[in-house]
Amino acid sequence: LVVATALSAGLVLPRAASPSAGLVRPAHAATHRAAVVAEAAAVVASEVVTPSEFPAGNLRSLAEYDEMYARSVADPSAFWADIADSFHWERRFDEVVDANFDSTKGKVFSSWFSGGTTNLCYNALDRHVAAGKGDQVAFYHESNEEGEELPAWTYAQALAEVQRLANALRGAGVKKGDRVTLFMPMVPQLALAMLACARIGAVHTVVFGGFSAEALASRIEDAASRVVITADGVMRGKKLVGLYEIADKAAGLVRGLEVETQIVLQRLPPDVSGVSLKPGRDVWWGDATAAADPECKVEWVGAEDPLFILYTSGSTGKPKGVLHSTGGYMVYAATTTKYVFDLQPGDVYFCTADCGWITGHSYVTYGPLLNGASQLVFEGVPSYPDAGRLWRMVDKYTIAQLYTAPTAIRALMREGTGPLQGTSRSSLKLLGSVGEPINPEAWRWYYEEVGGSRCPIVDTWWQTETGGVMIVPLPIQGASMKPGCAMRPFFGVQPAVINEQGEEKEGACEGLLAIKAAWPSTIRDVFGDYERYQQTYFPIPGFYLTGEPPRRGGDGCRRDEDGHYWITGRVDDVINVSGHRIGTAEVESAVVLHPNVAEAAVVGYPHPVKGEGIYIYVTLNEGVHESDELRKALVMQCRSEIGAFAAPDVVHWAPSLPKTRSGKIMRRILRKIAASGKEVTADELGDTSTLADPPVVDQLIASHGIWL
Ligand code: WT7
């Protein structure tokens, strides 16, 4: 079975051929976690690393950071007003911030720059063109096929295309506040489509191109989008991703509303895509824009008007539509980009994330363009045609900032330093990491082999809900880093470490990560479900929590003696697979749809490349026998309900599942067995006294998972 993550995430290499779907547990799986823990412990001892050269940039010293940070929390209004004034406001805001994180004192809300009107697209494009930067490149576009040259987009060209597309959307009846679903490959036109929505005040909701028709349909339905922008398809490595086919199928599955218009970008030669459009509903992007008026007036929107919805998984229920609004998001995305990546004139920046995820929203589309930067967009995968692709692109475009995920680093690290040879990477100034904790081994490799010990590693902790980077070792000349440590809060961010009761801990400590004051791009709502918003993120008065009940908190965190923050990973039932959040409940729902399945429980386990893999325990109905066919059917079920990246790595036929007397599945035990298999010790299993039927655990240990 080909690991689908490579395709979906665009970040990882396909896994090395594993022994045929066998009963063999790869040695690395069992030892990986122990290795990671030991490794982390070794560096915790306070190893600090200082890059040999980093130029004085947007922040000149740690003292300047300290001074700015102090100002940002002492007087957030003055701090953010100064910054906000460098953007175009059609009408200036009256009040910088008003927020409440305490539900016992009234509704939870966060409002920034109220009274102001502006437009993201205007600030990202028109403003720069008006300032004479129209000929500067906004996007270089690297094809999947190495050597195939594709045209770059200047700011002026981007603006021209966006205006035509925005008019085409208006022509399709899209008005301010309407939702438009984008299901596209990672090409510059995806960012342009987002900007076209923003220009007319429409709310974009991008669905990552690796999702299945079922998953896309449920998101179109939840957002009630009548217009979809998609593409015929795209080549990712050797694989053709037929986006149109999926979008077409999704449109047929949507209930309660009709997809009235689909705008379809042509990215493939017609004989390859084989797409024939549905008359009356579908129109080619090229035809729609050619027919549209070249000039599109900007819709000025309120600072608190919604900008986008992005669906994300939680530990329970269906994915949540995380809603971000205009003014605060604009200011925060731009400011974090400026300082976190230390953008300088002439730099070419490259973030490998897809715009289907928040990283692509804030650090491909909005942050870099708001800063007037030039960046590279790559539609392929780093492993194609070989593991040297990323490094050759760094040289070809003279990339100054490379922002990628630990899973990609680990995948490339496995190939050794061979693929690095023949590339100089001398243009690199800093290296970024996002999506999951970066293990010290990967950190070291990235730092030493990729960056030649010259470049800071900017390990950015944040979430879809936070809209922008929250905790980060900002790149500052002479500043030291601790491998694997996210270090310091960004301006205006006030982290807190709390216990399960919601009490804040002081000094060096460990607990759950929470944030105790609003920042400009705080999540504003769960689309269509304010109740869920308040209950999920603000169950404890005064704090934004990083995960959901019943665990009250998603990310574990340690604050060391120097006050630096270490993110220790999810503590709730969310799995982080290659930097993508997958709710265990979502995968379980997909598995139990199969008629032969009585019950299923899904947990994560340490995976050497993906960070976490998906491990499913399946109990079959009476009389049904385990078989390869059934196992394959369950994997297919996950692929079709969610997407290829949610395919399980391990299927464990479980005679039954360990439960408490009240019938709650004891996931803690399942996680231990998944991580350690037969070697699991009684100690590791912890307290099993609440088990309704203790022998179940021994049966589980005696049986085994099947690595796919
Ligand atoms: C979750 C958010 C942030 C954009 C990409 C993922 C984990 C993210 C780090 C990091 C440790 C990290 C957390 C977080 N995470 N970055 N640098 N160190 N953990 O966005 O899908 O909303 O996932 O990713 O667990 O809660 P997301």
Side-chain angles (χ1 to χ4, degrees), residues 55-60 64 68 337-339 341-344 475:
N58 291 331
L59 275 174
R60 278 155 303 190
E64 187 180 16
M68 283 176 75
T337 305
K338 173 178 170 183
Y339 291 106
F341 301 108
D342 193 45
L343 293 181
Q344 300 296 336

Side-chain angles (χ1 to χ4, degrees), residues 391-441:
W391 318 129
R392 291 194 294 275
M393 284 192 285
V394 166
D395 281 359
K396 175 176 172 191
Y397 295 96
T398 61
I399 301 300
Q401 298 90 354
L402 175 66
Y403 190 30
T404 191
T407 184
I409 300 162
R410 286 191 296 266
L412 294 167
M413 182 171 79
R414 278 160 67 118
E415 307 294 314
T417 52
L420 287 165
Q421 255 122 66
T423 65
S424 90
R425 289 157 279 107
S426 56
S427 56
L428 286 173
K429 196 170 76 176
L430 72 81
L431 298 166
S433 172
V434 62
E436 53 172 315
I438 180 166
N439 52 305
E441 189 195 359

Side-chain angles (χ1 to χ4, degrees), residues 137-224:
V137 170
F139 298 109
Y140 295 100
H141 182 179
E142 172 82 0
S143 168
N144 181 63
E145 303 312 319
E146 196 167 20
E148 186 199 2
E149 295 304 325
L150 296 171
W153 292 83
T154 64
Y155 273 85
Q157 288 166 333
L159 176 58
E161 187 77 354
V162 164
Q163 295 196 67
R164 287 180 178 275
L165 183 64
N167 279 331
L169 288 171
R170 275 189 176 149
V174 177
K175 290 192 235 10
K176 182 180 170 217
D178 290 350
R179 276 80 53 204
V180 176
T181 297
L182 275 45
F183 185 66
M184 294 182 68
M186 188 50 199
V187 292
Q189 289 91 337
L190 171 49
L192 301 183
M194 294 163 77
L195 291 161
C197 292
R199 189 170 192 85
I200 61 172
V203 178
H204 57 71
T205 147
V206 184
V207 177
F208 170 58
F211 277 107
S212 67
E214 278 75 6
L216 173 59
S218 74
R219 285 157 176 76
I220 292 174
E221 228 171 76
D222 189 85

Side-chain angles (χ1 to χ4, degrees), residues 101 470 492-494 515-519 522 542 544:
F101 277 10
M470 299 289 280
V493 173
Q494 300 187 48
I515 312 287
K516 56 184 174 182
W519 62 98
T522 306
Y544 161 83

Side-chain angles (χ1 to χ4, degrees), residues 312 358-359 433-437 459-465 555 567 570 576 579 581:
T312 187
I358 190 69
T359 308
S433 172
V434 62
E436 53 172 315
D459 175 7
T460 60
W461 177 84
W462 58 296
Q463 307 179 292
T464 305
E465 292 88 342
D555 285 307
I567 313 300
R570 301 289 301 197
N576 190 325
R581 267 157 76 168

Side-chain angles (χ1 to χ4, degrees), residues 21-103:
L23 304 176
V24 202
R25 176 191 186 85
H28 58 67
T31 51
H32 178 67
R33 165 155 264 164
V36 169
V37 172
E39 215 193 311
V43 289
V44 167
S46 88
E47 180 192 3
V48 290
V49 179
T50 314
S52 61
E53 30 178 283
F54 184 74
N58 291 331
L59 275 174
R60 278 155 303 190
S61 64
L62 258 185
E64 187 180 16
Y65 161 83
D66 287 336
E67 182 274 315
M68 283 176 75
Y69 180 76
R71 203 150 39 88
S72 75
V73 297
D75 190 354
S77 293
F79 181 87
W80 290 110
D82 273 358
I83 293 178
D85 278 331
S86 63
F87 294 87
H88 174 84
W89 296 89
E90 186 63 8
R91 180 188 185 282
R92 193 180 181 268
F93 44 90
D94 305 313
E95 182 188 47
V96 176
V97 52
D98 187 16
N100 172 40
F101 277 10
D102 184 347
S103 61

